[in-house]
Amino acid sequence: SSYIGLALKENGKGKLETIEFQGSLLDEGKVKWGKLGIASHIIPYLMRSEEFQPSQNYDLIFLDSEPPIRFPEMIKFYSYLNEGGYLIIHDLPRTLCQGNINPSLPDYHSWPYGDLPEEIKKWVKEDKLRAFHFETPRGLTVFYKTKKEDYRYGQKK
């Protein structure tokens, strides 16, 4: 949030809405944002992301909650992502963790995220979302929400 807040300050426009469910971490963030002079660019919410109800659409959504709720968050917030916008999932490698087995939790499919929901598979298959990945130590997956005027691969214009 601090780096995004610094970018918003540098650009002279924009706001970041951030959701934190632990009060102590939110308090720590507020202190840091104040020291960096970016508090006016950040709108914090103390709640669980499942309870958050967006009041607008976004150009960028960054999901960094607990892994088992990131795919459900993606489904919840997808309709609030503008065409041409990006939805980023932190700590998600190019495998999307599909088929991962944790020996301590053998009945948990695709640990730690869970199986990829059918809605997400459909959005990618229908070219409503395009995924690309950054090779970081834990992975970073970015989904781009296509625009109507984007070139459709394999289709004639």
Side-chain angles (χ1 to χ4, degrees), residues 50 65-73 108 110-115 117:
E50 300 95 331
S65 55
E66 294 301 313
I69 65 170
R70 290 188 199 166
F71 290 151
E73 285 175 327
Y108 191 110
S110 301
W111 182 86
Y113 286 83
D115 291 332

Side-chain angles (χ1 to χ4, degrees), residues 70-125:
R70 290 188 199 166
F71 290 151
E73 285 175 327
M74 183 175 177
I75 292 166
K76 176 180 180 167
F77 298 127
Y78 172 81
S79 64
Y80 296 96
L81 182 64
N82 287 324
E83 285 187 356
Y86 297 90
L87 188 144
I88 303 169
I89 300 181
H90 192 237
D91 301 329
L92 184 62
R94 65 177 52 253
T95 64
L96 307 182
C97 293
Q98 298 307 285
N100 277 7
I101 305 274
N102 179 338
S104 300
L105 302 166
D107 295 330
Y108 191 110
H109 294 266
S110 301
W111 182 86
Y113 286 83
D115 291 332
L116 190 65
E118 291 302 317
E119 294 96 325
I120 297 172
K121 291 179 187 178
K122 181 180 176 197
W123 295 330
V124 172
K125 186 175 182 178

Side-chain angles (χ1 to χ4, degrees), residues 30-45:
K30 288 178 179 180
V31 169
K32 184 182 285 187
W33 303 328
K35 288 178 181 177
L36 292 170
I38 59 173
S40 63
H41 295 279
I42 299 176
I43 303 167
Y45 296 94

Side-chain angles (χ1 to χ4, degrees), residues 21-59:
F21 73 95
Q22 290 183 311
S24 61
L25 292 177
L26 184 58
D27 292 342
E28 187 179 313
K30 288 178 179 180
V31 169
K32 184 182 285 187
W33 303 328
K35 288 178 181 177
L36 292 170
I38 59 173
S40 63
H41 295 279
I42 299 176
I43 303 167
Y45 296 94
L46 180 60
M47 64 176 52
R48 298 185 57 78
S49 62
E50 300 95 331
E51 299 166 355
F52 181 73
Q53 187 56 48
S55 61
Q56 63 181 355
N57 280 16
Y58 304 97
D59 293 319

